[in-house]
Amino acid sequence: MTQVLMTYAGPVAGMSFDPHQVLALREAMPELPRGIVAERIYREVDWPEASVAQRKGMQHLKHALRTRPHFVAYAVNDLPALAPWIARHVFGLPLLTWTVRTPEQRERAARDADQTIFEGFCP
């Protein structure tokens, strides 16, 4: 990701589901805005390479002190949830929601987050 971003001149932020990638981005390009993409549950079938402890850590954003994301992008259908609430209200991180596709999800996003990532729907 850093190789591509180093050659890009426009506005950009890096984000990933993988805390290791967010940490690598922090180390390689500390000035670049970076975020973690997260959700409430990390199932083994979706994350077979991650241990139970790693999946729990991702679920609770425990990596945040190490990765230092500038924002959190959280699954809209998993809101409200404690980890993104703490990130937003205690640590002051902007909370984005993904992927907003319906007016109902837009209402939830407006109530629980700062911004939406939407698809197939004009908010």
Side-chain angles (χ1 to χ4, degrees), residues 70-93:
H70 295 113
F71 61 90
V72 174
Y74 208 78
V76 68
N77 290 331
D78 291 344
L79 291 173
L82 184 58
W85 187 93
I86 290 171
R88 184 181 188 208
H89 294 284
V90 175
F91 294 105
L93 297 180

Side-chain angles (χ1 to χ4, degrees), residues 27-103:
E27 291 169 347
M29 300 179 77
E31 71 288 350
L32 185 77
R34 64 190 168 275
I36 188 73
V37 184
E39 55 195 332
R40 187 182 304 227
I41 296 176
Y42 291 84
R43 301 175 313 155
E44 183 177 8
V45 67
D46 298 322
W47 294 88
E49 72 285 354
S51 69
V52 171
Q54 287 172 318
R55 290 193 307 273
K56 283 284 186 193
M58 289 165 50
Q59 176 181 347
H60 299 293
L61 302 176
K62 289 183 178 180
H63 57 79
L65 293 177
R66 192 170 30 91
T67 58
R68 301 205 184 221
H70 295 113
F71 61 90
V72 174
Y74 208 78
V76 68
N77 290 331
D78 291 344
L79 291 173
L82 184 58
W85 187 93
I86 290 171
R88 184 181 188 208
H89 294 284
V90 175
F91 294 105
L93 297 180
L95 180 61
L96 289 69
T97 58
W98 58 271
T99 301
V100 174
R101 294 185 176 100
T102 68

